[in-house]
Amino acid sequence: MKKNYLFLSLLFVILLLAACSGTTTETEKPDDTNETTETGTETGNETNNETAEEDRELVIAIGSDMLGFDIHNHNNTSTESIHQNMFDYLFKRDENNVLQPWLAESYEIVDDTTIEVVLKQGVKFHNGDEFTAEDVKFTLERVATDSSLKENPNYKQIKEVKIIDAYTVQIITHAPEPSIIHRLARLGSGMLPKKYIDENGWDYFLENPIGTGPYKLVEWVRDDRIVFEPFDDYFLGKVDEWDKVTFRVIPENSTRVSELLAGGVDIATNIPPADWERVESNEGTSLKQEVSNRTLFLVLRATEGFATSDVRVRQAIDYAIDDGTLTEFALRGAGIPTLTMVGPGNFGHEPSLYKYI
């Protein structure tokens, strides 16, 4: 089937990287933000101080709520965009989309089925517990062995996580797995706190989740908001751009756009193409786009007894869909028709297939 490889906003990732680097991007604060106060009456100073305090909350409007805090039992990229602010991976992609050690200090390929990973020392969970090899073993073996988890198919290649010492593990697969490092830098591989979960139970963790990430959870009001605050002991240093980051759930596109234009939120994601001109022409707002690894495609049932079980019917539907016209007009150019689901930045990408015929 032909597929539309979309340009979708990665503002959550941009927020995280910008915060960690200690820089401020154009997206993070309006140009007219002023956190200074002028000398004046006591009442005036109080007002200015209150305004400055408000300016240190970043409010992001999202179209749907996250599914929950079980990092292994979902495959929803919108949920992961929120999770990655409080859970860290062993590896992470840099600004050039190149994999780099993150919670890992280094790694070595021991043989075709074994990689040895040395962990960074001094990394802490939000409750103060130290991140160690025990947490890596607990996290990866849970998702690798529990077939009821939605992310199990992506990690069941892992046979065992062997602890060498407190900061060294060997990740052993059933067979050669060339994409193992890539899997350790994606959804489902955020590190979980073994000791915390053992002491309190899984249900407690889901209600009171902790990770090693730059932000810790303050509250989650389902279908309304998710609130974070910076983690003081983050291993890369406390985020100092914001005192609070709030994700507001606004499902209706028009309402989300109106809130952005009116200044009710600082960032709004997934702006419909029909509203792009309004956002660009409005004073104080602009549209930011980035390439996503997300691919949208049509899935047809091939079960016997259905019309679409006939390959000729599926081919006819495929040929009848003009991907070029859809991306040019319906998506206003914010997509690239492609013949493959594996786009740039994904392991196994083949550039010669990344074109429309």
Side-chain angles (χ1 to χ4, degrees), residues 90-93 99-101 107-109 115-117 171 177-186 189:
L90 292 179
F91 299 88
K92 202 166 191 177
R93 297 182 183 277
L99 281 170
Q100 302 289 353
Y107 75 97
E108 175 187 359
I109 298 176
I115 64 167
E116 185 167 290
V117 179
I171 301 173
E177 180 52 58
S179 64
I180 186 65
I181 298 297
H182 297 263
R183 296 184 188 279
L184 298 176
R186 64 172 297 281
S189 66

PDB file of all heavy atoms in Angstrom, residues 90-93 99-101 107-109 115-117 171 177-186 189:
ATOM      1  N   LEU A  90      18.154   4.284  27.829  1.00  0.00           N
ATOM      2  CA  LEU A  90      19.591   4.011  27.885  1.00  0.00           C
ATOM      3  C   LEU A  90      20.334   4.763  26.790  1.00  0.00           C
ATOM      4  O   LEU A  90      21.460   5.216  26.966  1.00  0.00           O
ATOM      5  CB  LEU A  90      19.862   2.512  27.750  1.00  0.00           C
ATOM      6  CG  LEU A  90      19.408   1.629  28.913  1.00  0.00           C
ATOM      7  CD1 LEU A  90      19.723   0.157  28.610  1.00  0.00           C
ATOM      8  CD2 LEU A  90      20.073   2.053  30.223  1.00  0.00           C
ATOM      9  N   PHE A  91      19.661   4.907  25.625  1.00  0.00           N
ATOM     10  CA  PHE A  91      20.244   5.619  24.487  1.00  0.00           C
ATOM     11  C   PHE A  91      19.238   6.637  23.977  1.00  0.00           C
ATOM     12  O   PHE A  91      18.039   6.504  24.201  1.00  0.00           O
ATOM     13  CB  PHE A  91      20.625   4.641  23.370  1.00  0.00           C
ATOM     14  CG  PHE A  91      21.650   3.619  23.781  1.00  0.00           C
ATOM     15  CD1 PHE A  91      21.259   2.419  24.353  1.00  0.00           C
ATOM     16  CD2 PHE A  91      23.004   3.867  23.611  1.00  0.00           C
ATOM     17  CE1 PHE A  91      22.194   1.480  24.748  1.00  0.00           C
ATOM     18  CE2 PHE A  91      23.949   2.939  24.005  1.00  0.00           C
ATOM     19  CZ  PHE A  91      23.550   1.737  24.580  1.00  0.00           C
ATOM     20  N   LYS A  92      19.753   7.653  23.288  1.00  0.00           N
ATOM     21  CA  LYS A  92      18.865   8.692  22.791  1.00  0.00           C
ATOM     22  C   LYS A  92      19.453   9.292  21.511  1.00  0.00           C
ATOM     23  O   LYS A  92      20.675   9.308  21.337  1.00  0.00           O
ATOM     24  CB  LYS A  92      18.700   9.790  23.850  1.00  0.00           C
ATOM     25  CG  LYS A  92      17.455  10.623  23.693  1.00  0.00           C
ATOM     26  CD  LYS A  92      17.220  11.429  24.964  1.00  0.00           C
ATOM     27  CE  LYS A  92      15.847  12.059  24.953  1.00  0.00           C
ATOM     28  NZ  LYS A  92      15.575  12.789  26.205  1.00  0.00           N
ATOM     29  N   ARG A  93      18.586   9.783  20.638  1.00  0.00           N
ATOM     30  CA  ARG A  93      19.049  10.404  19.409  1.00  0.00           C
ATOM     31  C   ARG A  93      19.403  11.872  19.650  1.00  0.00           C
ATOM     32  O   ARG A  93      18.676  12.576  20.343  1.00  0.00           O
ATOM     33  CB  ARG A  93      17.977  10.299  18.317  1.00  0.00           C
ATOM     34  CG  ARG A  93      17.672   8.861  17.932  1.00  0.00           C
ATOM     35  CD  ARG A  93      16.640   8.796  16.814  1.00  0.00           C
ATOM     36  NE  ARG A  93      16.312   7.406  16.517  1.00  0.00           N
ATOM     37  CZ  ARG A  93      17.028   6.628  15.714  1.00  0.00           C
ATOM     38  NH1 ARG A  93      18.115   7.130  15.123  1.00  0.00           N
ATOM     39  NH2 ARG A  93      16.688   5.371  15.501  1.00  0.00           N
ATOM     40  N   LEU A  99      22.181   8.016  17.223  1.00  0.00           N
ATOM     41  CA  LEU A  99      22.057   7.415  18.548  1.00  0.00           C
ATOM     42  C   LEU A  99      23.287   7.695  19.405  1.00  0.00           C
ATOM     43  O   LEU A  99      24.423   7.523  18.951  1.00  0.00           O
ATOM     44  CB  LEU A  99      21.850   5.906  18.430  1.00  0.00           C
ATOM     45  CG  LEU A  99      20.439   5.438  18.071  1.00  0.00           C
ATOM     46  CD1 LEU A  99      20.450   3.950  17.759  1.00  0.00           C
ATOM     47  CD2 LEU A  99      19.476   5.732  19.201  1.00  0.00           C
ATOM     48  N   GLN A 100      23.023   8.113  20.650  1.00  0.00           N
ATOM     49  CA  GLN A 100      24.091   8.396  21.603  1.00  0.00           C
ATOM     50  C   GLN A 100      23.732   7.773  22.949  1.00  0.00           C
ATOM     51  O   GLN A 100      22.563   7.637  23.284  1.00  0.00           O
ATOM     52  CB  GLN A 100      24.265   9.914  21.795  1.00  0.00           C
ATOM     53  CG  GLN A 100      24.562  10.690  20.537  1.00  0.00           C
ATOM     54  CD  GLN A 100      25.957  10.438  20.002  1.00  0.00           C
ATOM     55  OE1 GLN A 100      26.783   9.773  20.642  1.00  0.00           O
ATOM     56  NE2 GLN A 100      26.257  10.970  18.820  1.00  0.00           N
ATOM     57  N   PRO A 101      24.738   7.376  23.757  1.00  0.00           N
ATOM     58  CA  PRO A 101      24.441   6.907  25.115  1.00  0.00           C
ATOM     59  C   PRO A 101      23.745   8.003  25.918  1.00  0.00           C
ATOM     60  O   PRO A 101      24.081   9.181  25.779  1.00  0.00           O
ATOM     61  CB  PRO A 101      25.828   6.591  25.685  1.00  0.00           C
ATOM     62  CG  PRO A 101      26.687   6.343  24.481  1.00  0.00           C
ATOM     63  CD  PRO A 101      26.175   7.286  23.430  1.00  0.00           C
ATOM     64  N   TYR A 107      28.914   1.312  25.649  1.00  0.00           N
ATOM     65  CA  TYR A 107      28.479  -0.062  25.396  1.00  0.00           C
ATOM     66  C   TYR A 107      29.483  -0.761  24.502  1.00  0.00           C
ATOM     67  O   TYR A 107      30.276  -0.136  23.804  1.00  0.00           O
ATOM     68  CB  TYR A 107      27.082  -0.098  24.770  1.00  0.00           C
ATOM     69  CG  TYR A 107      27.033   0.283  23.309  1.00  0.00           C
ATOM     70  CD1 TYR A 107      27.024  -0.700  22.315  1.00  0.00           C
ATOM     71  CD2 TYR A 107      27.002   1.624  22.914  1.00  0.00           C
ATOM     72  CE1 TYR A 107      26.974  -0.356  20.972  1.00  0.00           C
ATOM     73  CE2 TYR A 107      26.954   1.963  21.574  1.00  0.00           C
ATOM     74  CZ  TYR A 107      26.941   0.982  20.610  1.00  0.00           C
ATOM     75  OH  TYR A 107      26.903   1.320  19.286  1.00  0.00           O
ATOM     76  N   GLU A 108      29.430  -2.092  24.534  1.00  0.00           N
ATOM     77  CA  GLU A 108      30.338  -2.912  23.735  1.00  0.00           C
ATOM     78  C   GLU A 108      29.567  -4.117  23.195  1.00  0.00           C
ATOM     79  O   GLU A 108      28.775  -4.731  23.921  1.00  0.00           O
ATOM     80  CB  GLU A 108      31.512  -3.387  24.589  1.00  0.00           C
ATOM     81  CG  GLU A 108      32.448  -4.338  23.878  1.00  0.00           C
ATOM     82  CD  GLU A 108      33.508  -4.923  24.799  1.00  0.00           C
ATOM     83  OE1 GLU A 108      33.507  -4.569  25.991  1.00  0.00           O
ATOM     84  OE2 GLU A 108      34.307  -5.747  24.321  1.00  0.00           O
ATOM     85  N   ILE A 109      29.774  -4.432  21.937  1.00  0.00           N
ATOM     86  CA  ILE A 109      29.170  -5.631  21.352  1.00  0.00           C
ATOM     87  C   ILE A 109      30.086  -6.811  21.693  1.00  0.00           C
ATOM     88  O   ILE A 109      31.206  -6.912  21.177  1.00  0.00           O
ATOM     89  CB  ILE A 109      29.009  -5.486  19.833  1.00  0.00           C
ATOM     90  CG1 ILE A 109      28.074  -4.307  19.518  1.00  0.00           C
ATOM     91  CG2 ILE A 109      28.462  -6.776  19.227  1.00  0.00           C
ATOM     92  CD1 ILE A 109      27.923  -4.015  18.047  1.00  0.00           C
ATOM     93  N   ILE A 115      25.222  -7.619  24.114  1.00  0.00           N
ATOM     94  CA  ILE A 115      25.874  -6.314  24.228  1.00  0.00           C
ATOM     95  C   ILE A 115      26.051  -6.007  25.708  1.00  0.00           C
ATOM     96  O   ILE A 115      25.208  -6.366  26.545  1.00  0.00           O
ATOM     97  CB  ILE A 115      25.071  -5.188  23.554  1.00  0.00           C
ATOM     98  CG1 ILE A 115      23.711  -4.982  24.239  1.00  0.00           C
ATOM     99  CG2 ILE A 115      24.899  -5.443  22.069  1.00  0.00           C
ATOM    100  CD1 ILE A 115      23.037  -3.695  23.824  1.00  0.00           C
ATOM    101  N   GLU A 116      27.155  -5.410  26.034  1.00  0.00           N
ATOM    102  CA  GLU A 116      27.430  -5.030  27.422  1.00  0.00           C
ATOM    103  C   GLU A 116      27.300  -3.526  27.546  1.00  0.00           C
ATOM    104  O   GLU A 116      27.904  -2.776  26.777  1.00  0.00           O
ATOM    105  CB  GLU A 116      28.837  -5.481  27.831  1.00  0.00           C
ATOM    106  CG  GLU A 116      29.141  -5.226  29.307  1.00  0.00           C
ATOM    107  CD  GLU A 116      30.385  -5.961  29.770  1.00  0.00           C
ATOM    108  OE1 GLU A 116      30.331  -7.206  29.872  1.00  0.00           O
ATOM    109  OE2 GLU A 116      31.411  -5.281  30.007  1.00  0.00           O
ATOM    110  N   VAL A 117      26.500  -3.086  28.515  1.00  0.00           N
ATOM    111  CA  VAL A 117      26.217  -1.668  28.699  1.00  0.00           C
ATOM    112  C   VAL A 117      26.715  -1.227  30.071  1.00  0.00           C
ATOM    113  O   VAL A 117      26.372  -1.835  31.087  1.00  0.00           O
ATOM    114  CB  VAL A 117      24.710  -1.377  28.580  1.00  0.00           C
ATOM    115  CG1 VAL A 117      24.435   0.106  28.790  1.00  0.00           C
ATOM    116  CG2 VAL A 117      24.176  -1.836  27.232  1.00  0.00           C
ATOM    117  N   ILE A 171      22.991  -7.448  27.914  1.00  0.00           N
ATOM    118  CA  ILE A 171      21.675  -7.693  27.355  1.00  0.00           C
ATOM    119  C   ILE A 171      21.834  -8.787  26.307  1.00  0.00           C
ATOM    120  O   ILE A 171      22.507  -8.598  25.289  1.00  0.00           O
ATOM    121  CB  ILE A 171      21.087  -6.409  26.749  1.00  0.00           C
ATOM    122  CG1 ILE A 171      20.987  -5.327  27.839  1.00  0.00           C
ATOM    123  CG2 ILE A 171      19.714  -6.681  26.135  1.00  0.00           C
ATOM    124  CD1 ILE A 171      20.566  -3.969  27.321  1.00  0.00           C
ATOM    125  N   GLU A 177      20.363  -9.685  16.938  1.00  0.00           N
ATOM    126  CA  GLU A 177      19.360  -8.630  16.869  1.00  0.00           C
ATOM    127  C   GLU A 177      20.058  -7.300  16.555  1.00  0.00           C
ATOM    128  O   GLU A 177      20.436  -6.545  17.461  1.00  0.00           O
ATOM    129  CB  GLU A 177      18.616  -8.549  18.196  1.00  0.00           C
ATOM    130  CG  GLU A 177      17.527  -7.490  18.268  1.00  0.00           C
ATOM    131  CD  GLU A 177      16.553  -7.593  17.119  1.00  0.00           C
ATOM    132  OE1 GLU A 177      15.920  -8.655  16.931  1.00  0.00           O
ATOM    133  OE2 GLU A 177      16.443  -6.610  16.377  1.00  0.00           O
ATOM    134  N   PRO A 178      20.252  -6.990  15.276  1.00  0.00           N
ATOM    135  CA  PRO A 178      21.012  -5.796  14.895  1.00  0.00           C
ATOM    136  C   PRO A 178      20.372  -4.480  15.307  1.00  0.00           C
ATOM    137  O   PRO A 178      21.057  -3.462  15.367  1.00  0.00           O
ATOM    138  CB  PRO A 178      21.104  -5.914  13.363  1.00  0.00           C
ATOM    139  CG  PRO A 178      19.959  -6.789  12.981  1.00  0.00           C
ATOM    140  CD  PRO A 178      19.789  -7.754  14.106  1.00  0.00           C
ATOM    141  N   SER A 179      19.063  -4.482  15.616  1.00  0.00           N
ATOM    142  CA  SER A 179      18.391  -3.232  15.971  1.00  0.00           C
ATOM    143  C   SER A 179      18.248  -3.042  17.476  1.00  0.00           C
ATOM    144  O   SER A 179      17.494  -2.161  17.909  1.00  0.00           O
ATOM    145  CB  SER A 179      17.010  -3.186  15.310  1.00  0.00           C
ATOM    146  OG  SER A 179      16.180  -4.221  15.805  1.00  0.00           O
ATOM    147  N   ILE A 180      18.961  -3.814  18.280  1.00  0.00           N
ATOM    148  CA  ILE A 180      18.754  -3.773  19.722  1.00  0.00           C
ATOM    149  C   ILE A 180      19.029  -2.389  20.318  1.00  0.00           C
ATOM    150  O   ILE A 180      18.273  -1.914  21.169  1.00  0.00           O
ATOM    151  CB  ILE A 180      19.613  -4.859  20.454  1.00  0.00           C
ATOM    152  CG1 ILE A 180      19.263  -4.900  21.943  1.00  0.00           C
ATOM    153  CG2 ILE A 180      21.091  -4.627  20.224  1.00  0.00           C
ATOM    154  CD1 ILE A 180      17.852  -5.337  22.240  1.00  0.00           C
ATOM    155  N   ILE A 181      20.075  -1.699  19.842  1.00  0.00           N
ATOM    156  CA  ILE A 181      20.370  -0.367  20.372  1.00  0.00           C
ATOM    157  C   ILE A 181      19.240   0.596  20.022  1.00  0.00           C
ATOM    158  O   ILE A 181      18.850   1.441  20.839  1.00  0.00           O
ATOM    159  CB  ILE A 181      21.713   0.152  19.825  1.00  0.00           C
ATOM    160  CG1 ILE A 181      22.855  -0.764  20.258  1.00  0.00           C
ATOM    161  CG2 ILE A 181      21.979   1.572  20.329  1.00  0.00           C
ATOM    162  CD1 ILE A 181      23.056  -0.830  21.747  1.00  0.00           C
ATOM    163  N   HIS A 182      18.699   0.470  18.829  1.00  0.00           N
ATOM    164  CA  HIS A 182      17.585   1.329  18.422  1.00  0.00           C
ATOM    165  C   HIS A 182      16.364   1.077  19.311  1.00  0.00           C
ATOM    166  O   HIS A 182      15.646   2.016  19.661  1.00  0.00           O
ATOM    167  CB  HIS A 182      17.237   1.059  16.961  1.00  0.00           C
ATOM    168  CG  HIS A 182      18.333   1.383  16.005  1.00  0.00           C
ATOM    169  ND1 HIS A 182      18.408   2.570  15.316  1.00  0.00           N
ATOM    170  CD2 HIS A 182      19.435   0.676  15.648  1.00  0.00           C
ATOM    171  CE1 HIS A 182      19.493   2.584  14.564  1.00  0.00           C
ATOM    172  NE2 HIS A 182      20.130   1.443  14.741  1.00  0.00           N
ATOM    173  N   ARG A 183      16.145  -0.176  19.670  1.00  0.00           N
ATOM    174  CA  ARG A 183      14.998  -0.497  20.533  1.00  0.00           C
ATOM    175  C   ARG A 183      15.180   0.091  21.933  1.00  0.00           C
ATOM    176  O   ARG A 183      14.200   0.388  22.620  1.00  0.00           O
ATOM    177  CB  ARG A 183      14.807  -2.010  20.614  1.00  0.00           C
ATOM    178  CG  ARG A 183      14.443  -2.656  19.284  1.00  0.00           C
ATOM    179  CD  ARG A 183      14.158  -4.151  19.438  1.00  0.00           C
ATOM    180  NE  ARG A 183      13.997  -4.789  18.147  1.00  0.00           N
ATOM    181  CZ  ARG A 183      12.871  -4.761  17.430  1.00  0.00           C
ATOM    182  NH1 ARG A 183      11.815  -4.132  17.899  1.00  0.00           N
ATOM    183  NH2 ARG A 183      12.807  -5.366  16.249  1.00  0.00           N
ATOM    184  N   LEU A 184      16.416   0.248  22.361  1.00  0.00           N
ATOM    185  CA  LEU A 184      16.685   0.779  23.692  1.00  0.00           C
ATOM    186  C   LEU A 184      16.671   2.302  23.719  1.00  0.00           C
ATOM    187  O   LEU A 184      17.050   2.918  24.704  1.00  0.00           O
ATOM    188  CB  LEU A 184      18.041   0.260  24.192  1.00  0.00           C
ATOM    189  CG  LEU A 184      18.134  -1.260  24.347  1.00  0.00           C
ATOM    190  CD1 LEU A 184      19.540  -1.673  24.748  1.00  0.00           C
ATOM    191  CD2 LEU A 184      17.119  -1.762  25.378  1.00  0.00           C
ATOM    192  N   ALA A 185      16.207   2.896  22.613  1.00  0.00           N
ATOM    193  CA  ALA A 185      16.116   4.356  22.523  1.00  0.00           C
ATOM    194  C   ALA A 185      14.721   4.771  22.057  1.00  0.00           C
ATOM    195  O   ALA A 185      14.554   5.810  21.429  1.00  0.00           O
ATOM    196  CB  ALA A 185      17.161   4.878  21.550  1.00  0.00           C
ATOM    197  N   ARG A 186      13.733   3.950  22.391  1.00  0.00           N
ATOM    198  CA  ARG A 186      12.386   4.212  21.892  1.00  0.00           C
ATOM    199  C   ARG A 186      11.332   3.840  22.938  1.00  0.00           C
ATOM    200  O   ARG A 186      11.657   3.335  24.008  1.00  0.00           O
ATOM    201  CB  ARG A 186      12.119   3.407  20.604  1.00  0.00           C
ATOM    202  CG  ARG A 186      12.130   1.895  20.843  1.00  0.00           C
ATOM    203  CD  ARG A 186      11.688   1.105  19.627  1.00  0.00           C
ATOM    204  NE  ARG A 186      10.313   1.365  19.221  1.00  0.00           N
ATOM    205  CZ  ARG A 186       9.254   0.829  19.822  1.00  0.00           C
ATOM    206  NH1 ARG A 186       9.394   0.029  20.882  1.00  0.00           N
ATOM    207  NH2 ARG A 186       8.041   1.089  19.370  1.00  0.00           N
ATOM    208  N   SER A 189      11.102   1.475  26.439  1.00  0.00           N
ATOM    209  CA  SER A 189      12.398   1.182  27.071  1.00  0.00           C
ATOM    210  C   SER A 189      12.804   2.235  28.095  1.00  0.00           C
ATOM    211  O   SER A 189      13.955   2.273  28.525  1.00  0.00           O
ATOM    212  CB  SER A 189      13.501   1.045  26.014  1.00  0.00           C
ATOM    213  OG  SER A 189      13.737   2.280  25.360  1.00  0.00           O
TER     214      SER A 189
END
